[in-house]
Amino acid sequence: SSHTFHSKDWFGKSVDAILNETKPGLMMEVVASRAIDPGEEVFVNYGSEWQSSWERHSKSWKVISGDDVQYASAAAINARDNGPVSAVSETEDGSYPDNVETFCYAGVVDWDEVNDGDAISWTEPSDRNWQVKDRPVLCDVMSSKEDKFSVIVYTDDEENDKEVKIENMPRNAITYVDAVYSKDQYLKGTFRHEIRVPDGMFPKVWLDLDKGEDYGDSCQLYVAESSIPNSGLGMYSLKEIKENDEVFFPEIVVQQQDHDWHNRERYYWFHKRGRKESMHPKKERSWLMHMYFWEPRNTLGLYDGEDETQSIVPGLGMLANSHTGLVSALMTRPQVNSAGLHRSVDPGAGAFSAYHKYTYLATRHIQAGMELFVEYGDDWFEDRQKKLGVIPLSYDFEDADNILKHFFEFVDGIPSDKNLTQSAWEMVYEYLVENKKMETVLPKDMKEAREKVLEKGTAMASVPDVIRSAEWLEENGLCLDNIREGRSIVKQAGRGAFATRAIEKEAVIAPAPLVHFQRKHLHMYSYHEETDHNDYAGEQVLLNYCYSHPNSSLVFFPYSPVVNFINHDGKSPNAFIRWSSLPNHHSEWLDLTAEELIAEYHAGLILEVVALRPIAQGEEIFIDYGRGWQEAWDEHVRSWKPVEGAKEYVSASELNEARAPFLTVEEQEENPYPENVVLTCYVRGNIRKKQETEPGPFGDAYEWRNLHKILYYHDNAYPCEILSRDEMYSGHAGNIRPEDVTYTARVYLDETEEDEGTIVHSIPPRAIEFNDNPDTKDVFLRNVFRHPIDLP
């Protein structure tokens, strides 16, 4: 606004400074963009994100609470029933819905003079506006006679709680009020979205949630040679990261559904057609991704397959190394949604992974220049001792640190005796080398061990170069934080990669190390039990993130941060790909045959995404996917038709996002959930061994307990049915309330046909969620788009 009340200087203030202002100081103006007639409704544009959110809400919205059919607001009942009033005995048949309560204007009453249980006569206030000025109180109508009512009122005052009978109350002193949190605005799943202020109006200094603003002009995340010898590349943070803070940008998760099962079916499919493969799937080593995938329990992917899903997490999940004693980044839970696309109208539905925003949190203070380590787990290293050798595990480092600490405290507390202390040190050293695998960590000299190991710990001492200087990283590494994820400006693409800072022409936007494997590993098959026959059913969604050539059996998956969000623009891309100049790029592999390259059972090729022109901060990055990709997409769009039932489809992620109410088995008889979703409860799998039961309304039941990481791992999520709400609010099943409501459920821990379920009570809402049944997500549709990115 141009009004003097509008404080323009606030545009330069920080968010904290604005929030500390005690008086309003900003003013907008609504301006006519054309001539408006008298009586014409005025409209403004709420923004594209608001519109998309409303469209998603409209598509997914449905009446799912059985109580809604009896719902009537208090206002409607007051308008309808401004005549006879039913007594309590007359309303037991449910003539009034549970969501309304009876309130009375008590009239002239001196509550200090009235005792609990007294009976008084109603006295009309002298002020004719008493219905506006007085506050009604909760009451029950007991009886009526000649338009006068006998009621019991409840003062509900903590210091003066009374039940008082009032006789001769007139009809206009009785009204109906909506029960707390029963109005439509408190329903779960109601539409919520702010009106978007255009970017040009919104000061940049207020964009405190924009992660791209945190990284400035200089790179803060690098890929370079790992500090662990013979471990390839590693990731380094040049910025200090506090414990529990996010570790750079969230990532995508690509689920490889039932890989081993499809691999076996492929072998038999070729075998039955007389096209024998050279090696049985159990013996071949061409699936290099086997060295990189994560268990689906970490990524909410357990319900994506019937057999065994493999979760592929680029960025920290593939590029970062692991050190058993220096884990610094821990996975959290990803978000799951379709980026606004719906299978009923969008040909791009199912063409990209719905799993994104996969965030890592710092498990320790990360010093500037330190290499980042994720947690593979001690079991991972133990299972690979033949290849990696004997490696100290997490408890080995902890035990060694404690032994060293107590040894040197002992030495410092006794009279100096060189021979004694040396003999004691030799015993400690021998024990730590033999039992804690510290041979490569501890120096044999006691003085050197005190100086180099005691203070910083055995884990830090095991990798002397774990902290690199900024100069070393700039000279020997490549930047990884030039791009971040965001909603793409290309709708059918879902999400895209956006520049975090201005990028010069011909500058490397991002390196892209590659995992190579054969395309056959992405084939999917369906088995028909009645005919003992299998059919080719399509390709895994992973194919859409891979680079390949139409005349090659090889595909290449890039696994550095955010590069898998880079989308296609065949007309005016602002970036291109080329082979890297990093020393870790094995350029000699480019002369190998496909068969020879597959025999190299480790990653060794690196692409680079390079700017074709200057790129502004916040600009989306595009490359040309190739003519073959464009023709395939164009044909897909021309021939695409929604599958049967697409219009009615509601995904589990939509129900979770809308916080749809958890309905009991009885409520679902009238309003069942969609067939494609299953309700799951996070419960400890060994609850029957670790806890005792207690009697309950549904039989012997176990109490839900919030154990360490029970909500973190997806294998704690079991199919369940809600039997009851432990705190039942009649008529409010689908509403939001501030009180804690817990549930009793039948949980199927064995997940077999014979499993009759285990009763668990006191399950909080945060331990219940919807999951899609296997094969029902968009990525498993038969009409989805699949094509690799073309390598020139």
Side-chain angles (χ1 to χ4, degrees):
S1 174
S2 58
H3 196 277
T4 54
F5 178 80
H6 176 59
S7 303
K8 292 183 179 180
D9 61 308
W10 284 23
F11 287 167
K13 293 185 176 182
S14 67
V15 172
D16 289 338
I18 294 286
L19 295 176
N20 285 328
E21 294 288 347
T22 58
K23 295 181 180 180
L26 297 173
M27 180 183 289
M28 286 184 177
E29 294 177 345
V30 180
V31 183
S33 58
R34 59 172 175 80
I36 300 175
D37 295 329
E40 183 179 349
E41 187 173 357
V42 176
F43 296 95
V44 297
N45 185 354
Y46 282 5
S48 60
E49 289 194 20
W50 187 97
Q51 184 66 39
S52 297
S53 181
W54 171 253
E55 290 172 358
R56 291 196 302 273
H57 172 77
S58 300
K59 290 174 185 175
S60 63
W61 183 88
K62 62 182 296 187
V63 177
I64 55 178
S65 174
D67 293 330
D68 291 341
V69 294
Q70 289 88 29
Y71 175 80
S73 68
I77 295 173
N78 284 326
R80 183 189 71 195
D81 292 348
N82 198 18
V85 174
S86 300
V88 172
S89 59
E90 298 170 330
T91 59
E92 291 178 352
D93 61 353
S95 57
Y96 289 116
D98 292 332
N99 59 279
V100 299
E101 296 175 335
T102 309
F103 273 67
C104 297
Y105 293 93
V108 179
V109 180
D110 185 349
W111 294 109
D112 293 332
E113 299 295 327
V114 178
N115 297 315
D116 184 34
D118 283 357
I120 62 175
S121 183
W122 191 83
T123 303
E124 182 173 358
S126 57
D127 191 329
R128 66 177 60 187
N129 293 320
W130 57 267
Q131 287 177 307
V132 177
K133 296 181 178 180
D134 288 358
R135 180 176 178 268
V137 294
L138 185 68
C139 66
D140 281 327
V141 177
M142 308 307 296
S143 63
S144 63
K145 183 179 181 181
E146 298 179 357
D147 294 331
K148 298 294 182 180
F149 298 86
S150 175
V151 305
I152 293 179
V153 299
Y154 308 94
T155 61
D156 196 22
D157 188 328
E158 291 183 2
E159 297 181 359
N160 201 12
D161 189 10
K162 299 174 182 177
E163 294 182 12
V164 176
K165 187 175 183 180
I166 301 180
E167 304 281 4
N168 301 315
M169 181 173 287
R171 169 64 184 87
N172 63 348
I174 302 173
T175 188
Y176 294 99
V177 175
D178 290 290
V180 177
Y181 294 102
S182 68
K183 291 184 179 180
D184 288 347
Q185 72 189 69
Y186 300 112
L187 287 172
K188 290 183 177 179
T190 51
F191 179 70
R192 294 289 185 270
H193 200 286
E194 76 279 9
I195 302 169
R196 184 54 52 88
V197 177
D199 288 340
M201 289 180 59
F202 211 90
K204 284 190 175 182
V205 70
W206 295 354
L207 300 176
D208 59 326
L209 299 182
D210 187 345
K211 299 299 184 184
E213 294 292 312
D214 295 338
Y215 290 87
D217 296 328
S218 61
C219 183
Q220 300 292 296
L221 181 66
Y222 281 89
V223 57
E225 186 74 25
S226 175
S227 60
I228 302 176
N230 304 315
S231 295
L233 297 172
M235 296 175 68
Y236 294 83
S237 173
L238 252 190
K239 73 169 184 176
E240 183 180 4
I241 304 176
K242 297 178 181 179
E243 185 176 357
N244 294 322
D245 280 358
E246 289 187 14
V247 182
F248 291 91
F249 302 123
E251 254 306 339
I252 193 172
V253 181
V254 184
Q255 307 290 4
Q256 178 81 353
Q257 183 210 33
D258 297 334
H259 172 82
D260 291 343
W261 185 90
H262 288 295
N263 208 24
R264 290 192 299 270
E265 290 301 305
R266 184 198 77 239
Y267 178 83
Y268 296 125
W269 189 83
F270 276 91
H271 182 74
K272 288 182 178 181
R273 286 157 180 77
R275 297 163 57 188
K276 294 185 178 180
E277 292 203 290
S278 59
M279 192 174 295
H280 191 277
K282 287 187 177 180
K283 297 180 180 179
E284 67 179 1
R285 295 179 66 224
S286 59
W287 179 236
L288 180 56
M289 197 66 77
H290 175 75
M291 301 293 292
Y292 293 90
F293 76 87
W294 292 84
E295 294 180 8
R297 68 191 295 254
N298 296 290
T299 66
L300 305 184
L302 276 180
Y303 286 86
D304 274 37
E306 297 278 7
D307 188 21
E308 181 63 33
T309 296
Q310 297 181 4
S311 297
I312 298 164
V313 187
L316 277 164
M318 292 180 68
L319 187 54
N321 280 311
S322 182
H323 187 293
T324 54
L326 292 175
V327 172
S328 56
L330 181 68
M331 292 174 165
T332 60
R333 292 160 57 94
Q335 293 183 19
V336 186
N337 61 61
S338 61
L341 273 62
H342 196 273
R343 63 174 61 180
S344 63
V345 294
D346 294 306
F352 55 87
S353 173
Y355 295 82
H356 70 120
K357 296 288 185 188
Y358 198 33
T359 305
Y360 286 77
L361 298 181
T363 61
R364 59 189 294 151
H365 172 242
I366 299 174
Q367 301 177 53
M370 189 172 184
E371 183 171 359
L372 302 172
F373 296 112
V374 297
E375 185 178 18
Y376 292 180
D378 287 346
D379 291 345
W380 191 93
F381 288 95
E382 286 185 305
D383 293 342
R384 291 162 175 79
Q385 282 189 8
K386 288 185 178 179
K387 180 178 180 180
L388 303 177
V390 178
I391 292 176
L393 304 180
S394 57
Y395 58 84
D396 290 322
F397 287 111
E398 293 171 4
D399 291 347
D401 286 343
N402 283 327
I403 290 171
L404 288 176
K405 176 176 178 291
H406 287 101
F407 170 77
F408 283 109
E409 286 178 351
F410 166 75
V411 169
D412 294 340
I414 63 174
S416 178
D417 186 330
K418 187 175 181 180
N419 293 331
L420 176 62
T421 54
Q422 183 60 35
S423 297
W425 167 248
E426 290 174 359
M427 292 174 58
V428 169
Y429 176 82
E430 184 177 345
Y431 174 83
L432 292 175
V433 168
E434 187 172 330
N435 295 279
K436 298 302 173 184
K437 314 173 187 81
M438 293 290 149
E439 185 174 7
T440 60
V441 179
L442 283 177
K444 289 186 177 182
D445 182 73
M446 183 179 68
K447 182 180 179 182
E448 192 176 352
R450 182 196 289 269
E451 294 174 350
K452 294 184 178 181
V453 179
L454 180 61
E455 184 176 348
K456 61 182 179 181
T458 52
M460 289 288 285
S462 68
V463 276
D465 295 324
V466 69
I467 299 177
R468 306 281 195 179
S469 67
E471 294 76 19
W472 187 93
L473 289 171
E474 289 170 4
E475 181 179 351
N476 297 280
L478 282 177
C479 185
L480 291 175
D481 69 347
N482 284 324
I483 50 177
R484 61 177 175 84
E485 175 217 348
R487 185 69 64 87
S488 176
I489 62 176
V490 180
K491 182 182 179 183
Q492 298 300 326
R495 287 169 277 272
F498 294 81
T500 59
R501 56 180 65 91
I503 301 172
E504 297 179 354
K505 180 180 178 180
E506 297 185 359
V508 175
I509 299 172
L514 304 171
V515 172
H516 56 275
F517 51 89
Q518 291 178 298
R519 179 167 176 167
K520 66 182 182 180
H521 286 283
L522 303 181
H523 295 341
M524 301 177 72
Y525 296 85
S526 58
Y527 176 70
H528 307 282
E529 187 174 358
E530 62 278 3
T531 59
D532 190 26
H533 177 73
N534 57 6
D535 286 326
Y536 171 76
E539 306 276 351
Q540 301 271 7
V541 70
L542 182 64
L543 180 67
N544 287 1
Y545 296 96
C546 292
Y547 291 78
S548 187
H549 190 281
N551 296 327
S552 177
S553 64
L554 297 173
V555 290
F556 302 86
F557 177 75
Y559 61 93
S560 55
V562 191
V563 294
N564 291 287
F565 290 110
I566 296 176
N567 287 316
H568 164 72
D569 186 337
K571 295 181 179 179
S572 55
N574 54 14
F576 68 97
I577 57 172
R578 70 184 182 198
W579 292 116
S580 176
S581 58
L582 276 175
N584 298 81
H585 170 61
H586 290 264
S587 57
E588 70 277 9
W589 285 12
L590 302 178
D591 297 323
L592 299 179
T593 66
E595 187 174 345
E596 290 171 338
L597 183 56
I598 287 298
E600 297 288 347
Y601 203 57
H602 62 94
L605 296 173
I606 304 174
L607 286 174
E608 291 176 350
V609 182
V610 183
L612 266 172
R613 59 166 175 78
I615 298 174
Q617 179 184 353
E619 186 177 348
E620 185 169 0
I621 307 298
F622 294 100
I623 62 173
D624 185 353
Y625 281 8
R627 181 178 176 181
W629 187 97
Q630 184 66 60
E631 291 175 350
W633 171 253
D634 292 341
E635 176 57 30
H636 172 74
V637 173
R638 279 194 297 268
S639 61
W640 182 86
K641 293 180 181 179
V643 297
E644 184 179 352
K647 190 174 182 180
E648 293 78 27
Y649 173 77
V650 180
S651 68
S653 62
E654 289 174 299
L655 294 175
N656 288 325
E657 195 171 282
R659 297 188 178 182
F662 302 131
L663 303 182
T664 65
V665 174
E666 184 178 349
E667 290 167 342
Q668 288 188 63
E669 291 178 0
E670 292 188 13
N671 294 284
Y673 289 128
E675 292 182 358
N676 58 284
V677 302
V678 58
L679 201 63
T680 57
C681 297
Y682 283 78
V683 175
R684 63 188 302 186
N686 60 354
I687 190 173
R688 292 173 297 196
K689 295 181 179 179
K690 297 292 185 179
Q691 293 178 216
E692 298 292 331
T693 60
E694 51 190 85
F698 304 99
D700 291 344
Y702 297 90
E703 181 184 16
W704 186 89
R705 295 178 184 175
N706 186 18
L707 301 179
H708 180 58
K709 292 187 178 180
I710 192 171
L711 304 179
Y712 176 80
Y713 291 120
H714 205 206
D715 54 359
N716 292 323
Y718 295 92
C720 63
E721 298 173 330
I722 303 299
L723 301 177
S724 71
R725 295 173 187 84
D726 298 333
E727 296 181 24
M728 183 63 177
Y729 299 109
S730 300
H732 306 166
N735 292 24
I736 297 170
R737 296 181 63 90
E739 297 93 345
D740 289 330
V741 180
T742 59
Y743 299 83
T744 295
R746 179 178 288 110
V747 185
Y748 296 94
L749 298 172
D750 298 331
E751 301 184 72
T752 62
E753 293 183 1
E754 295 77 23
D755 186 5
E756 297 181 356
T758 300
I759 308 301
V760 182
H761 70 86
S762 302
I763 305 176
R766 68 180 186 278
I768 307 173
E769 69 182 8
F770 297 95
N771 276 282
D772 293 285
N773 280 311
D775 297 333
T776 63
K777 289 186 176 179
D778 289 345
V779 293
F780 304 126
L781 293 172
R782 285 297 186 100
N783 65 341
V784 292
F785 177 71
R786 293 289 182 269
H787 199 282
I789 303 167
D790 292 339
L791 271 175

